[in-house]
Amino acid sequence: MSLHLNTAAVKFARQLIADGKLKNDQGHWGQHNPDTSQENKFLEKHEIAEYGQWHLGLDETKGEDTKGRYHFPYGDFKTVHRDGLIAAKERAAQQGYHDIEKAADELLQALEKKAAHS
């Protein structure tokens, strides 16, 4: 798999955090991570590029119009989740995607800083 950092997603996440669209949740990402049904409902109303903005990893060997192109989700299509960023960071570290791990960590710090000042 040829994954690299989805810079458009990082920029999008930074803007969401700046706008206060975040959840500083302490739960388990599995409780908040959109399931296939939620993903498909989102795609019924949005372009695949918008779907991709919610994923820190990009696999350009996959077709541009496929969900399989996108990895490391961090939000629920409305807000950035603290536990989503932690999960992305940990999985990226385990799999050796250091650019994605670093971006997730930076976004996590930005989210926690914003949450502390809200």
Side-chain angles (χ1 to χ4, degrees):
M1 190 180 312
S2 177
L3 271 180
H4 64 271
L5 181 64
N6 183 352
T7 55
V10 174
K11 183 177 179 185
F12 183 66
R14 283 190 200 286
Q15 187 60 55
L16 289 169
I17 292 167
D19 293 345
K21 295 181 180 175
L22 55 93
K23 289 216 171 116
N24 193 19
D25 37 23
Q26 303 292 325
H28 186 269
W29 178 229
Q31 298 168 314
H32 305 120
N33 188 5
D35 62 22
T36 302
S37 170
Q38 292 167 310
E39 290 177 345
N40 291 340
K41 284 180 185 170
F42 181 83
L43 284 168
E44 286 173 10
K45 298 178 182 173
H46 301 86
E47 298 293 325
I48 193 80
E50 291 176 76
Y51 173 86
Q53 290 181 317
W54 291 96
H55 298 80
L56 295 177
L58 180 64
D59 181 355
E60 291 184 332
T61 66
K62 304 286 186 196
E64 288 185 27
D65 58 347
T66 64
K67 291 193 302 185
R69 184 177 176 92
Y70 303 102
H71 302 269
F72 301 103
Y74 63 84
D76 62 5
F77 303 123
K78 295 182 187 97
T79 56
V80 178
H81 281 255
R82 178 180 180 272
D83 56 3
L85 291 171
I86 291 170
K89 177 183 167 183
E90 289 174 352
R91 283 187 27 242
Q94 291 166 352
Q95 296 173 22
Y97 297 114
H98 302 295
D99 55 345
I100 296 170
E101 174 190 4
K102 183 176 185 282
D105 185 55
E106 290 170 358
L107 290 168
L108 180 61
Q109 291 177 36
L111 182 147
E112 290 175 344
K113 183 177 179 183
K114 178 76 173 180
H117 292 89
S118 294

PDB file of all heavy atoms in Angstrom, residues 63-76:
ATOM      1  N   GLY A  63      -8.560   4.045  -7.072  1.00  0.00           N
ATOM      2  CA  GLY A  63      -9.325   4.952  -7.915  1.00  0.00           C
ATOM      3  C   GLY A  63      -9.795   6.188  -7.165  1.00  0.00           C
ATOM      4  O   GLY A  63     -10.125   6.116  -5.981  1.00  0.00           O
ATOM      5  N   GLU A  64      -9.840   7.313  -7.888  1.00  0.00           N
ATOM      6  CA  GLU A  64     -10.226   8.584  -7.274  1.00  0.00           C
ATOM      7  C   GLU A  64     -11.640   8.579  -6.728  1.00  0.00           C
ATOM      8  O   GLU A  64     -11.964   9.347  -5.842  1.00  0.00           O
ATOM      9  CB  GLU A  64     -10.074   9.730  -8.279  1.00  0.00           C
ATOM     10  CG  GLU A  64      -8.641  10.070  -8.570  1.00  0.00           C
ATOM     11  CD  GLU A  64      -8.507  11.278  -9.470  1.00  0.00           C
ATOM     12  OE1 GLU A  64      -9.409  12.129  -9.473  1.00  0.00           O
ATOM     13  OE2 GLU A  64      -7.491  11.355 -10.175  1.00  0.00           O
ATOM     14  N   ASP A  65     -12.493   7.726  -7.260  1.00  0.00           N
ATOM     15  CA  ASP A  65     -13.899   7.715  -6.838  1.00  0.00           C
ATOM     16  C   ASP A  65     -14.220   6.552  -5.900  1.00  0.00           C
ATOM     17  O   ASP A  65     -15.360   6.117  -5.815  1.00  0.00           O
ATOM     18  CB  ASP A  65     -14.809   7.686  -8.069  1.00  0.00           C
ATOM     19  CG  ASP A  65     -14.546   6.481  -8.957  1.00  0.00           C
ATOM     20  OD1 ASP A  65     -13.512   5.807  -8.765  1.00  0.00           O
ATOM     21  OD2 ASP A  65     -15.377   6.212  -9.847  1.00  0.00           O
ATOM     22  N   THR A  66     -13.207   6.060  -5.182  1.00  0.00           N
ATOM     23  CA  THR A  66     -13.435   4.934  -4.276  1.00  0.00           C
ATOM     24  C   THR A  66     -13.128   5.306  -2.835  1.00  0.00           C
ATOM     25  O   THR A  66     -12.211   6.088  -2.563  1.00  0.00           O
ATOM     26  CB  THR A  66     -12.556   3.723  -4.660  1.00  0.00           C
ATOM     27  OG1 THR A  66     -11.174   4.083  -4.500  1.00  0.00           O
ATOM     28  CG2 THR A  66     -12.806   3.289  -6.099  1.00  0.00           C
ATOM     29  N   LYS A  67     -13.886   4.719  -1.920  1.00  0.00           N
ATOM     30  CA  LYS A  67     -13.627   4.933  -0.497  1.00  0.00           C
ATOM     31  C   LYS A  67     -12.297   4.311  -0.091  1.00  0.00           C
ATOM     32  O   LYS A  67     -11.655   4.789   0.840  1.00  0.00           O
ATOM     33  CB  LYS A  67     -14.756   4.330   0.355  1.00  0.00           C
ATOM     34  CG  LYS A  67     -16.064   5.072   0.223  1.00  0.00           C
ATOM     35  CD  LYS A  67     -17.086   4.691   1.279  1.00  0.00           C
ATOM     36  CE  LYS A  67     -17.441   3.247   1.318  1.00  0.00           C
ATOM     37  NZ  LYS A  67     -18.523   2.937   2.272  1.00  0.00           N
ATOM     38  N   GLY A  68     -11.864   3.269  -0.796  1.00  0.00           N
ATOM     39  CA  GLY A  68     -10.612   2.593  -0.485  1.00  0.00           C
ATOM     40  C   GLY A  68      -9.379   3.453  -0.655  1.00  0.00           C
ATOM     41  O   GLY A  68      -8.290   3.100  -0.201  1.00  0.00           O
ATOM     42  N   ARG A  69      -9.544   4.598  -1.266  1.00  0.00           N
ATOM     43  CA  ARG A  69      -8.442   5.546  -1.470  1.00  0.00           C
ATOM     44  C   ARG A  69      -8.091   6.272  -0.165  1.00  0.00           C
ATOM     45  O   ARG A  69      -6.985   6.788  -0.020  1.00  0.00           O
ATOM     46  CB  ARG A  69      -8.877   6.547  -2.549  1.00  0.00           C
ATOM     47  CG  ARG A  69      -7.841   7.547  -2.971  1.00  0.00           C
ATOM     48  CD  ARG A  69      -8.410   8.403  -4.101  1.00  0.00           C
ATOM     49  NE  ARG A  69      -7.543   9.461  -4.518  1.00  0.00           N
ATOM     50  CZ  ARG A  69      -6.653   9.377  -5.502  1.00  0.00           C
ATOM     51  NH1 ARG A  69      -6.518   8.258  -6.163  1.00  0.00           N
ATOM     52  NH2 ARG A  69      -5.904  10.410  -5.823  1.00  0.00           N
ATOM     53  N   TYR A  70      -9.016   6.298   0.779  1.00  0.00           N
ATOM     54  CA  TYR A  70      -8.868   7.126   1.973  1.00  0.00           C
ATOM     55  C   TYR A  70      -8.738   6.288   3.245  1.00  0.00           C
ATOM     56  O   TYR A  70      -9.460   5.320   3.439  1.00  0.00           O
ATOM     57  CB  TYR A  70     -10.053   8.094   2.081  1.00  0.00           C
ATOM     58  CG  TYR A  70     -10.166   8.952   0.850  1.00  0.00           C
ATOM     59  CD1 TYR A  70     -11.109   8.682  -0.136  1.00  0.00           C
ATOM     60  CD2 TYR A  70      -9.280   9.996   0.640  1.00  0.00           C
ATOM     61  CE1 TYR A  70     -11.179   9.457  -1.287  1.00  0.00           C
ATOM     62  CE2 TYR A  70      -9.344  10.775  -0.506  1.00  0.00           C
ATOM     63  CZ  TYR A  70     -10.294  10.493  -1.465  1.00  0.00           C
ATOM     64  OH  TYR A  70     -10.354  11.260  -2.601  1.00  0.00           O
ATOM     65  N   HIS A  71      -7.818   6.714   4.120  1.00  0.00           N
ATOM     66  CA  HIS A  71      -7.513   5.980   5.343  1.00  0.00           C
ATOM     67  C   HIS A  71      -7.326   6.964   6.505  1.00  0.00           C
ATOM     68  O   HIS A  71      -7.121   8.145   6.299  1.00  0.00           O
ATOM     69  CB  HIS A  71      -6.227   5.168   5.158  1.00  0.00           C
ATOM     70  CG  HIS A  71      -6.325   4.201   4.016  1.00  0.00           C
ATOM     71  ND1 HIS A  71      -6.765   2.918   4.180  1.00  0.00           N
ATOM     72  CD2 HIS A  71      -6.068   4.351   2.693  1.00  0.00           C
ATOM     73  CE1 HIS A  71      -6.764   2.305   3.008  1.00  0.00           C
ATOM     74  NE2 HIS A  71      -6.348   3.156   2.089  1.00  0.00           N
ATOM     75  N   PHE A  72      -7.352   6.457   7.696  1.00  0.00           N
ATOM     76  CA  PHE A  72      -7.153   7.232   8.920  1.00  0.00           C
ATOM     77  C   PHE A  72      -8.203   8.335   9.109  1.00  0.00           C
ATOM     78  O   PHE A  72      -7.888   9.527   9.122  1.00  0.00           O
ATOM     79  CB  PHE A  72      -5.738   7.827   8.987  1.00  0.00           C
ATOM     80  CG  PHE A  72      -4.649   6.784   8.938  1.00  0.00           C
ATOM     81  CD1 PHE A  72      -3.925   6.569   7.777  1.00  0.00           C
ATOM     82  CD2 PHE A  72      -4.364   6.016  10.055  1.00  0.00           C
ATOM     83  CE1 PHE A  72      -2.932   5.612   7.718  1.00  0.00           C
ATOM     84  CE2 PHE A  72      -3.363   5.047  10.010  1.00  0.00           C
ATOM     85  CZ  PHE A  72      -2.648   4.847   8.841  1.00  0.00           C
ATOM     86  N   PRO A  73      -9.466   7.933   9.291  1.00  0.00           N
ATOM     87  CA  PRO A  73     -10.511   8.928   9.557  1.00  0.00           C
ATOM     88  C   PRO A  73     -10.296   9.573  10.930  1.00  0.00           C
ATOM     89  O   PRO A  73      -9.738   8.960  11.837  1.00  0.00           O
ATOM     90  CB  PRO A  73     -11.797   8.099   9.536  1.00  0.00           C
ATOM     91  CG  PRO A  73     -11.364   6.727   9.922  1.00  0.00           C
ATOM     92  CD  PRO A  73      -9.978   6.564   9.339  1.00  0.00           C
ATOM     93  N   TYR A  74     -10.748  10.808  11.058  1.00  0.00           N
ATOM     94  CA  TYR A  74     -10.557  11.536  12.321  1.00  0.00           C
ATOM     95  C   TYR A  74     -11.828  12.222  12.812  1.00  0.00           C
ATOM     96  O   TYR A  74     -11.818  12.880  13.853  1.00  0.00           O
ATOM     97  CB  TYR A  74      -9.435  12.573  12.175  1.00  0.00           C
ATOM     98  CG  TYR A  74      -9.750  13.634  11.159  1.00  0.00           C
ATOM     99  CD1 TYR A  74     -10.515  14.743  11.501  1.00  0.00           C
ATOM    100  CD2 TYR A  74      -9.314  13.525   9.840  1.00  0.00           C
ATOM    101  CE1 TYR A  74     -10.835  15.717  10.568  1.00  0.00           C
ATOM    102  CE2 TYR A  74      -9.618  14.485   8.907  1.00  0.00           C
ATOM    103  CZ  TYR A  74     -10.377  15.574   9.266  1.00  0.00           C
ATOM    104  OH  TYR A  74     -10.696  16.532   8.344  1.00  0.00           O
ATOM    105  N   GLY A  75     -12.912  12.118  12.084  1.00  0.00           N
ATOM    106  CA  GLY A  75     -14.135  12.814  12.487  1.00  0.00           C
ATOM    107  C   GLY A  75     -15.375  12.099  12.013  1.00  0.00           C
ATOM    108  O   GLY A  75     -15.306  11.037  11.385  1.00  0.00           O
ATOM    109  N   ASP A  76     -16.513  12.687  12.328  1.00  0.00           N
ATOM    110  CA  ASP A  76     -17.810  12.047  12.049  1.00  0.00           C
ATOM    111  C   ASP A  76     -18.590  12.764  10.948  1.00  0.00           C
ATOM    112  O   ASP A  76     -19.805  12.690  10.892  1.00  0.00           O
ATOM    113  CB  ASP A  76     -18.637  11.982  13.326  1.00  0.00           C
ATOM    114  CG  ASP A  76     -18.956  13.363  13.897  1.00  0.00           C
ATOM    115  OD1 ASP A  76     -18.616  14.388  13.267  1.00  0.00           O
ATOM    116  OD2 ASP A  76     -19.551  13.416  14.992  1.00  0.00           O
TER     117      ASP A  76
END
